[in-house]
Amino acid sequence: MLDLLVAALPQQRGTSALAARLRTIGHWAELLPEPDAGLREALHGYAEAGEETAGPALLALVHARDVRALELVLRRPSARLLAAAARHFPEAADRLIPVIRRELAAGATGNEGIALVSALTPFGAAARQAQPELVACLRTRRAAIVAARRLGDNGIATRETTDLLREATRSTDLALRAAAAVAHYQLTGDVRPALRTFEGLLSGTGQTHWYLSALEPLGSAAAPLLPRIEPLLEARYEWTRWAAAECLHRITGSPERAVPVLVELVGPTPVGLRALKALAATGCRVPDELRPTLRGFAFSPLRLIHDSPLSGQDHPDDELRALARTLLAAD
């Protein structure tokens, strides 16, 4: 199919049609184990053309893991290109991190700031070079939520950083409160600010399932929150029930109360897939009543879940089928 898409590129009328075709090619190229030389050569030609479609062509070239793409990205960086290059060329940390830092220091905001901060993820400990820029993002509230997460996952506990995180736990942005509270715990080991923050978050309204998922790094240290979490197993919103069951199992290590909730949620939907993943993580034997459903997932000739718009990800149906087969085989 990709050969046909590439062959049709010269016949596209107008830059918008050509750009759309290049984006489609880039999506599929990322899924190939080894994009062939002909595909990469064609994309390289469009990426170097200097026209309006050079950007989509270059992104597709990055997705095709062509080493020539790295030089082009460094020559004309954008947040999206840098994020893709970081994902596909993590070995180029010494070249990409300085550019990401420069773009962050220049004041990137919104989705660009988020993409730049996220681009640091594949670099591991090397990304600590960007701590000054991440701290600045947190201080100025530019891409602050993802900056807090990055600092928590891989930052260094300085007085300035932990003070800023503690301050952010009182933000009017509830998502930032959650991210900052978790990051503060990760850097300091002091769980008290996180417990106070999540006590308030889980007592109110809003994205309860998101707050429950955000608790993951606390592990069993979140046990004092169980009186807030357990009633959510019976929440009306299915995403909240899933998150509460997963969170309960993660904190206690016991699948007893989580498994019935997860079994009830399993289905050919995004939340149903998440529930099936959480069920697999418990290590429990698949309940007999769920086996016909799993067989249906494993061998259905039809699509079961809507297409994902996220480039570079497997179709959720493929994940659903693979997980169903794994669970059936485990019995």
Side-chain angles (χ1 to χ4, degrees):
M1 183 184 74
L2 267 177
D3 290 342
L4 294 175
L5 290 172
V6 172
L9 286 174
Q11 280 74 52
Q12 300 307 301
R13 296 182 178 179
T15 56
S16 60
L18 180 55
R21 184 59 56 91
L22 286 165
R23 285 192 291 270
T24 300
I25 291 172
H27 168 78
W28 291 108
E30 191 170 24
L31 300 179
L32 291 176
E34 294 184 19
D36 65 54
L39 167 64
R40 291 186 281 108
E41 201 60 44
L43 291 174
H44 184 257
Y46 282 98
E48 282 203 312
E51 299 175 357
E52 291 181 40
T53 52
L58 179 50
L59 183 60
L61 191 66
V62 174
H63 287 168
R65 284 91 73 197
D66 190 297
V67 293
R68 294 171 295 180
L70 186 59
E71 294 296 335
L72 295 173
V73 169
L74 293 172
R75 203 183 308 164
R76 49 178 196 264
S78 71
R80 189 176 186 187
L81 286 170
L82 287 166
R87 190 166 68 250
H88 292 298
F89 303 105
E91 69 281 0
D94 60 330
R95 304 182 68 192
L96 288 168
I97 290 175
V99 181
I100 294 170
R101 294 184 65 185
R102 186 185 71 208
E103 296 293 315
L104 283 172
T109 60
N111 289 336
E112 287 193 356
I114 292 169
L116 289 167
V117 172
S118 300
L120 295 166
T121 303
F123 299 134
R128 289 174 182 160
Q129 300 169 48
Q131 178 144 333
E133 288 73 30
L134 294 177
V135 169
C137 284
L138 186 59
R139 184 188 305 109
T140 60
R141 298 298 191 258
R142 293 181 295 111
I145 296 171
V146 288
R149 291 179 191 155
R150 280 283 86 234
L151 289 166
D153 288 342
N154 198 35
I156 300 170
T158 68
R159 179 64 178 271
E160 179 187 23
T161 302
T162 56
D163 283 354
L164 280 170
L165 288 169
R166 184 186 281 269
E167 177 189 334
T169 64
R170 298 187 289 272
S171 170
T172 57
D173 184 332
L174 301 186
L176 177 56
R177 280 191 202 177
V182 170
H184 184 275
Y185 166 74
Q186 288 174 302
L187 291 182
T188 67
D190 181 2
V191 75
R192 291 171 298 177
L195 293 177
R196 284 195 298 270
T197 299
F198 280 93
E199 179 80 20
L201 293 173
L202 296 176
S203 301
T205 58
Q207 300 294 317
T208 306
H209 66 286
W210 191 93
Y211 305 141
L212 289 166
S213 296
L215 278 170
E216 180 174 359
L218 272 67
S220 60
L225 295 172
L226 286 174
R228 294 289 181 189
I229 295 169
E230 290 170 338
L232 297 175
L233 294 171
E234 300 177 4
R236 292 181 61 187
Y237 189 39
E238 57 188 7
W239 282 100
T240 302
R241 298 199 302 277
W242 154 73
E246 184 178 57
C247 191
L248 185 69
H249 174 253
R250 188 186 302 122
I251 292 171
T252 65
S254 171
E256 183 178 351
R257 296 193 62 191
V259 166
V261 176
L262 296 171
V263 168
E264 184 182 354
L265 289 170
V266 168
T269 62
V271 69
L273 175 56
R274 291 288 190 93
L276 192 58
K277 287 183 187 178
L279 184 63
T282 67
C284 291
R285 182 183 180 276
V286 174
D288 290 340
E289 66 268 25
L290 189 59
R291 294 178 66 82
T293 299
L294 294 183
R295 282 193 290 268
F297 295 161
F299 304 109
S300 172
L302 304 174
R303 281 297 190 197
L304 299 170
I305 304 178
H306 293 306
D307 289 347
S308 168
L310 300 176
S311 174
Q313 294 192 348
D314 293 339
H315 193 285
D317 266 17
D318 298 332
E319 193 173 9
L320 184 65
R321 287 193 177 96
L323 189 55
R325 288 170 182 161
T326 299
L327 288 171
L328 288 169
D331 281 355

